[in-house]
Amino acid sequence: MVPLILRILARLALGLLVLIALAPILWTALGAFKELRDIVTPVPKLFFTPTLDNFATILGNPTIRDGLVNSVLVVAASVGIGALLGIPAAHTLARHMRRRGDDIQFFVLSLRFMPPVAIAIPFIVIYLDLGIYDSLGGLILVYLVTTISTMIWLATPAFERVPPEIEEAAAMEGCSEAEVFWRISLPVAAPSLFGALVFTFVLVWNELLLALTLAAQNATLPVVAASITSLGKEVPWGVINAATVVLVLPPLFFIGLLMGLINSMIRSGGRTKG
Amino acid sequence: MTRQRFILLTLAPALTVLGLLAAVSTAGAVWFSLMNRVLGSPDYEFVGLYNYLRLLRDKRFFNALEISLIWELITVAGTLVVAVLLAVLVHETVKRALWRNLICFAFLAPVLLPRVAAAFIWRFLYSPSLGLLNWIVGEAGLGPVEFLANPSLALVSVAVVDIWQWGLFFTVILVKLLETMPRDPIEAAMLDNARTWQIHAYVTLPMLKGPLISLALVKAVESLRSFDLIFVMTGGGPGTATETLDLYAYQSGINLGGRVSYASAMSILLLIVTTVAFTLIWRASRKWSR
C-alpha cells in the first residue's frame, strides 16, 4: 500500500511543479486579454470578457513599433554577420587547426566571461567621442562579440561531428578546401548549425544592458518594455502583459529546436564534454 | 586557392573582429579609469590610481560586492539543487517517453523567455495589491507580503525567478543525461536491494559529477549577467539591498551624473576578479571531474 501512496504523491508533486513552471507564463498571457478593471480585483479573475485593446495599444504606439523594427534590424544584422564570420572559422578550427585550435577556442569562450558592463562603459565614451552614440550600427558592432563567439563556440563541435571520411573522399575527387566546406561539411552539419543560430538569436533578442546603455534613443524591444512601467502614474498592467507576450513569442517559437540541440549535444558529446 | 590561404581567409575576419572589440573595450576601460572623466563635461585630466583608491573606501562598492557574491551563491546552489531533485523525480515517476517529452517542453519554456519579460511576469505575480502570489498568501491567512519592497526578502525573491528559469532548464539536461547512463551499475545496485534514493545518491549522481560541475560553471558565468532581471524587478532597491556590481557600475556610470571613469575602474576590478576566479575554478574543476 505504502509504495502506491508514495507514487501517487510523487505524481501529484510533479503535476504541481509543471503548473509552477507554466502558470506564470499562462497567467501573463491571460492578463494580456484583460481590461484593467479585470486585473485590479481583490480576487484574481479566471473568467472575464476578453479584449484586444491591449494589443491594439501596443501596435498603435509608435515607440513600441519602432522598438520592434529596431530589434529586428539589430538582431538580423548581428546574427547574420556573426554566422557569416563564425561558421567558416568554426569549420577551420574543427578541421584544420588541431594543435592551436584549443587556445583559440579558450580565447573565444573567455569572451563570455567578460562582464557586460566592462564592455558597455568604455564603448559609451568611445561612441560619444566618435559621434556614433545612439546608433544602431554601433550596437550591432558590440553585439558581434556575443554573436561571433557564440557561433564559433557552438558550431565547432557541429563540424567535428561531420564524418571526416566524406570530406576526405571529396578532397580525393579534387575538391578544394572551400568546395569541401561549401558542398559537403555545411549541408551535413546544417541541422546543428541551425540550432546554434537560434541560440544566438535568442541571446541577442533578449539583451538589455548594452541596448540600454549604447542606444537608448533607438531603443530595441527589451529597452522599450523595460521603460513602459514609468509611463504615467497608473501602471498599465494590461499593456505590460501584452508587451511581455509580444516579447516572449519569437523565442518560444524555437522551443522544439532547443530540445533538438540538447538531445544531439548530449548523445554525441555527453562524455567528452562532461 | 591553397590550404593556407583558405585557413587564413576563414579564420582571420572572425578573430580580427573579436580581438579588436575585446582589446578596444579592455584598453578603453583601463585608460578611462585613470582619468576623472564625467559624461557631458568636456574637461578631464589624468588622475592616476585615484579612482581605484576611492573605490577601496567606498562602502556602497563593498556592499555591491557582497550582494554579488550572495547572488552567485544563491542562484548557483539553488539552480543545481532544484535541477537534481526534479530530474530524479521526473526520471523515477514518468516512464512514458511521450509524457517525459511533454514535461521537458514545459520546463524549457521559462529559460527561453527574455529576462525582461520574466522580470515583468514575476513583478506582476509578486505585486502586493493585485499579484496572484499575494492572493494565495492572503487566503492562507498571512498578510500581504512585500516580496520586492522588503530589504531582507527582495534578493531572494529575485533569485527565485532566476532559479525558475535555469533550474528547470538544467532539469531537462539532467533528465536527458540520466537516460543515456549505462544500466549495469544501476542494475547491480538494484540487485543489492538498494533503495531508489540510495541508487541516485551513491551511483548515478557520482557518475554525473563531471557534467554537474560543468553545469555549475555555466550557471556561475550566466549568473554574472543578472543585470536585466534585477534592473527591471527592483532597480537595485529597496535602498541598495539588491544592488550587484553591474547595477552599481551602471548607476554611477550612466544614471547618477555619468561618472564614467569611476565606473570604468569598477568594471576593471570586476573583470580582474571574474577572470582570476573563473580561471582558478576552471582549473580546479578539471581536476575534480577526473
Side-chain angles (χ1 to χ4, degrees), chain A residues 102-115:
Chain A
D102 275 352
D103 293 339
I104 298 180
Q105 281 200 53
F106 184 77
F107 161 69
V108 169
L109 196 61
S110 72
L111 290 177
R112 297 271 313 147
F113 295 173
M114 255 174 119

PDB file of all heavy atoms in Angstrom, chain A residues 102-115:
ATOM      1  N   ASP A 102      42.685  24.660 -29.719  1.00  0.00           N
ATOM      2  CA  ASP A 102      42.221  24.722 -28.331  1.00  0.00           C
ATOM      3  C   ASP A 102      42.428  26.102 -27.723  1.00  0.00           C
ATOM      4  O   ASP A 102      41.556  26.618 -27.025  1.00  0.00           O
ATOM      5  CB  ASP A 102      42.951  23.682 -27.475  1.00  0.00           C
ATOM      6  CG  ASP A 102      42.274  22.330 -27.576  1.00  0.00           C
ATOM      7  OD1 ASP A 102      41.181  22.285 -28.187  1.00  0.00           O
ATOM      8  OD2 ASP A 102      42.824  21.345 -27.061  1.00  0.00           O
ATOM      9  N   ASP A 103      43.606  26.692 -27.994  1.00  0.00           N
ATOM     10  CA  ASP A 103      43.880  28.023 -27.440  1.00  0.00           C
ATOM     11  C   ASP A 103      42.890  29.041 -27.974  1.00  0.00           C
ATOM     12  O   ASP A 103      42.366  29.860 -27.227  1.00  0.00           O
ATOM     13  CB  ASP A 103      45.313  28.463 -27.806  1.00  0.00           C
ATOM     14  CG  ASP A 103      46.334  27.594 -27.105  1.00  0.00           C
ATOM     15  OD1 ASP A 103      45.957  26.972 -26.098  1.00  0.00           O
ATOM     16  OD2 ASP A 103      47.478  27.538 -27.577  1.00  0.00           O
ATOM     17  N   ILE A 104      42.638  28.967 -29.292  1.00  0.00           N
ATOM     18  CA  ILE A 104      41.702  29.925 -29.888  1.00  0.00           C
ATOM     19  C   ILE A 104      40.316  29.722 -29.295  1.00  0.00           C
ATOM     20  O   ILE A 104      39.622  30.676 -28.958  1.00  0.00           O
ATOM     21  CB  ILE A 104      41.678  29.753 -31.417  1.00  0.00           C
ATOM     22  CG1 ILE A 104      43.067  30.046 -31.979  1.00  0.00           C
ATOM     23  CG2 ILE A 104      40.632  30.663 -32.040  1.00  0.00           C
ATOM     24  CD1 ILE A 104      43.179  29.922 -33.461  1.00  0.00           C
ATOM     25  N   GLN A 105      39.916  28.447 -29.119  1.00  0.00           N
ATOM     26  CA  GLN A 105      38.595  28.196 -28.544  1.00  0.00           C
ATOM     27  C   GLN A 105      38.493  28.730 -27.126  1.00  0.00           C
ATOM     28  O   GLN A 105      37.448  29.231 -26.713  1.00  0.00           O
ATOM     29  CB  GLN A 105      38.298  26.698 -28.545  1.00  0.00           C
ATOM     30  CG  GLN A 105      37.858  26.205 -29.896  1.00  0.00           C
ATOM     31  CD  GLN A 105      37.123  24.893 -29.783  1.00  0.00           C
ATOM     32  OE1 GLN A 105      36.182  24.764 -29.030  1.00  0.00           O
ATOM     33  NE2 GLN A 105      37.580  23.906 -30.528  1.00  0.00           N
ATOM     34  N   PHE A 106      39.602  28.626 -26.356  1.00  0.00           N
ATOM     35  CA  PHE A 106      39.559  29.151 -24.995  1.00  0.00           C
ATOM     36  C   PHE A 106      39.422  30.673 -25.011  1.00  0.00           C
ATOM     37  O   PHE A 106      38.665  31.247 -24.232  1.00  0.00           O
ATOM     38  CB  PHE A 106      40.806  28.742 -24.200  1.00  0.00           C
ATOM     39  CG  PHE A 106      40.736  29.192 -22.763  1.00  0.00           C
ATOM     40  CD1 PHE A 106      39.941  28.499 -21.861  1.00  0.00           C
ATOM     41  CD2 PHE A 106      41.426  30.302 -22.323  1.00  0.00           C
ATOM     42  CE1 PHE A 106      39.841  28.912 -20.550  1.00  0.00           C
ATOM     43  CE2 PHE A 106      41.325  30.724 -21.010  1.00  0.00           C
ATOM     44  CZ  PHE A 106      40.532  30.021 -20.123  1.00  0.00           C
ATOM     45  N   PHE A 107      40.130  31.306 -25.962  1.00  0.00           N
ATOM     46  CA  PHE A 107      40.014  32.767 -26.088  1.00  0.00           C
ATOM     47  C   PHE A 107      38.563  33.160 -26.395  1.00  0.00           C
ATOM     48  O   PHE A 107      37.995  34.052 -25.768  1.00  0.00           O
ATOM     49  CB  PHE A 107      40.948  33.271 -27.189  1.00  0.00           C
ATOM     50  CG  PHE A 107      40.608  34.642 -27.706  1.00  0.00           C
ATOM     51  CD1 PHE A 107      40.775  35.758 -26.909  1.00  0.00           C
ATOM     52  CD2 PHE A 107      40.097  34.812 -28.990  1.00  0.00           C
ATOM     53  CE1 PHE A 107      40.445  37.020 -27.377  1.00  0.00           C
ATOM     54  CE2 PHE A 107      39.765  36.071 -29.458  1.00  0.00           C
ATOM     55  CZ  PHE A 107      39.939  37.170 -28.650  1.00  0.00           C
ATOM     56  N   VAL A 108      37.962  32.419 -27.335  1.00  0.00           N
ATOM     57  CA  VAL A 108      36.584  32.724 -27.730  1.00  0.00           C
ATOM     58  C   VAL A 108      35.641  32.557 -26.539  1.00  0.00           C
ATOM     59  O   VAL A 108      34.773  33.388 -26.270  1.00  0.00           O
ATOM     60  CB  VAL A 108      36.158  31.809 -28.899  1.00  0.00           C
ATOM     61  CG1 VAL A 108      34.666  31.916 -29.148  1.00  0.00           C
ATOM     62  CG2 VAL A 108      36.923  32.192 -30.150  1.00  0.00           C
ATOM     63  N   LEU A 109      35.843  31.466 -25.788  1.00  0.00           N
ATOM     64  CA  LEU A 109      34.977  31.193 -24.646  1.00  0.00           C
ATOM     65  C   LEU A 109      35.176  32.239 -23.544  1.00  0.00           C
ATOM     66  O   LEU A 109      34.228  32.654 -22.880  1.00  0.00           O
ATOM     67  CB  LEU A 109      35.274  29.794 -24.105  1.00  0.00           C
ATOM     68  CG  LEU A 109      34.217  29.213 -23.183  1.00  0.00           C
ATOM     69  CD1 LEU A 109      32.901  29.072 -23.911  1.00  0.00           C
ATOM     70  CD2 LEU A 109      34.677  27.864 -22.656  1.00  0.00           C
ATOM     71  N   SER A 110      36.445  32.688 -23.389  1.00  0.00           N
ATOM     72  CA  SER A 110      36.724  33.633 -22.307  1.00  0.00           C
ATOM     73  C   SER A 110      36.016  34.965 -22.536  1.00  0.00           C
ATOM     74  O   SER A 110      35.777  35.718 -21.604  1.00  0.00           O
ATOM     75  CB  SER A 110      38.225  33.849 -22.159  1.00  0.00           C
ATOM     76  OG  SER A 110      38.682  34.604 -23.246  1.00  0.00           O
ATOM     77  N   LEU A 111      35.646  35.250 -23.807  1.00  0.00           N
ATOM     78  CA  LEU A 111      34.887  36.471 -24.065  1.00  0.00           C
ATOM     79  C   LEU A 111      33.526  36.412 -23.395  1.00  0.00           C
ATOM     80  O   LEU A 111      32.939  37.440 -23.064  1.00  0.00           O
ATOM     81  CB  LEU A 111      34.714  36.675 -25.571  1.00  0.00           C
ATOM     82  CG  LEU A 111      35.974  37.036 -26.325  1.00  0.00           C
ATOM     83  CD1 LEU A 111      35.684  37.131 -27.803  1.00  0.00           C
ATOM     84  CD2 LEU A 111      36.539  38.345 -25.825  1.00  0.00           C
ATOM     85  N   ARG A 112      33.009  35.193 -23.176  1.00  0.00           N
ATOM     86  CA  ARG A 112      31.715  35.053 -22.496  1.00  0.00           C
ATOM     87  C   ARG A 112      31.841  35.379 -21.006  1.00  0.00           C
ATOM     88  O   ARG A 112      30.855  35.650 -20.352  1.00  0.00           O
ATOM     89  CB  ARG A 112      31.146  33.640 -22.653  1.00  0.00           C
ATOM     90  CG  ARG A 112      30.825  33.231 -24.039  1.00  0.00           C
ATOM     91  CD  ARG A 112      29.412  33.569 -24.498  1.00  0.00           C
ATOM     92  NE  ARG A 112      28.354  33.224 -23.590  1.00  0.00           N
ATOM     93  CZ  ARG A 112      27.235  33.923 -23.472  1.00  0.00           C
ATOM     94  NH1 ARG A 112      27.063  35.007 -24.171  1.00  0.00           N
ATOM     95  NH2 ARG A 112      26.303  33.546 -22.642  1.00  0.00           N
ATOM     96  N   PHE A 113      33.080  35.287 -20.457  1.00  0.00           N
ATOM     97  CA  PHE A 113      33.275  35.619 -19.039  1.00  0.00           C
ATOM     98  C   PHE A 113      33.234  37.128 -18.810  1.00  0.00           C
ATOM     99  O   PHE A 113      33.084  37.578 -17.697  1.00  0.00           O
ATOM    100  CB  PHE A 113      34.639  35.123 -18.526  1.00  0.00           C
ATOM    101  CG  PHE A 113      34.801  33.646 -18.503  1.00  0.00           C
ATOM    102  CD1 PHE A 113      36.017  33.073 -18.205  1.00  0.00           C
ATOM    103  CD2 PHE A 113      33.734  32.804 -18.767  1.00  0.00           C
ATOM    104  CE1 PHE A 113      36.184  31.702 -18.171  1.00  0.00           C
ATOM    105  CE2 PHE A 113      33.878  31.433 -18.742  1.00  0.00           C
ATOM    106  CZ  PHE A 113      35.107  30.881 -18.447  1.00  0.00           C
ATOM    107  N   MET A 114      33.448  37.899 -19.873  1.00  0.00           N
ATOM    108  CA  MET A 114      33.554  39.344 -19.713  1.00  0.00           C
ATOM    109  C   MET A 114      32.243  39.924 -19.201  1.00  0.00           C
ATOM    110  O   MET A 114      31.205  39.707 -19.798  1.00  0.00           O
ATOM    111  CB  MET A 114      33.891  39.991 -21.050  1.00  0.00           C
ATOM    112  CG  MET A 114      35.306  40.433 -21.170  1.00  0.00           C
ATOM    113  SD  MET A 114      35.596  41.006 -22.820  1.00  0.00           S
ATOM    114  CE  MET A 114      36.034  42.679 -22.485  1.00  0.00           C
ATOM    115  N   PRO A 115      32.294  40.658 -18.083  1.00  0.00           N
ATOM    116  CA  PRO A 115      31.061  41.278 -17.601  1.00  0.00           C
ATOM    117  C   PRO A 115      30.570  42.303 -18.627  1.00  0.00           C
ATOM    118  O   PRO A 115      31.376  43.081 -19.126  1.00  0.00           O
ATOM    119  CB  PRO A 115      31.485  41.983 -16.311  1.00  0.00           C
ATOM    120  CG  PRO A 115      32.867  41.534 -16.020  1.00  0.00           C
ATOM    121  CD  PRO A 115      33.464  40.997 -17.264  1.00  0.00           C
TER     122      PRO A 115
END
